[in-house]
Amino acid sequence: MTTKNMDDRVSALESWAFQTGRDLAAIKAVQAEHTETLADHTQRLEQIEQGIGLLLAHFGIEGSK
């Protein structure tokens, strides 16, 4: 009976480890998507800031940074 109990425990642990691995892979995929989105937003923000700087310079307004 101890063997079956041990087999059940090992099986449950293997199942948990497999599911944890799948969960971690899903988390890493979402993290990669968020990192890519953040990079896109950062690039867009830099372009907007540059455009505003050019607009201010065109009208002779000194920007603050």
Side-chain angles (χ1 to χ4, degrees):
M1 189 125 131
T2 303
T3 304
K4 181 170 179 164
N5 188 18
M6 184 63 83
D7 288 343
D8 290 344
R9 291 171 62 189
V10 168
S11 178
L13 184 58
E14 287 173 339
S15 177
W16 175 84
F18 179 75
Q19 184 60 45
T20 301
R22 290 179 64 182
D23 292 346
L24 287 173
I27 290 169
K28 286 182 178 184
V30 169
Q31 182 182 23
E33 289 176 22
H34 287 180
T35 300
E36 184 178 324
T37 299
L38 179 60
D40 290 344
H41 288 175
T42 301
Q43 182 181 10
R44 287 175 58 199
L45 180 59
E46 289 171 354
Q47 291 171 345
I48 291 168
E49 288 175 339
Q50 182 182 13
I52 290 171
L54 291 172
L55 186 61
L56 291 174
H58 176 75
F59 286 104
I61 303 170
E62 190 175 321
S64 62
K65 256 200 166 183

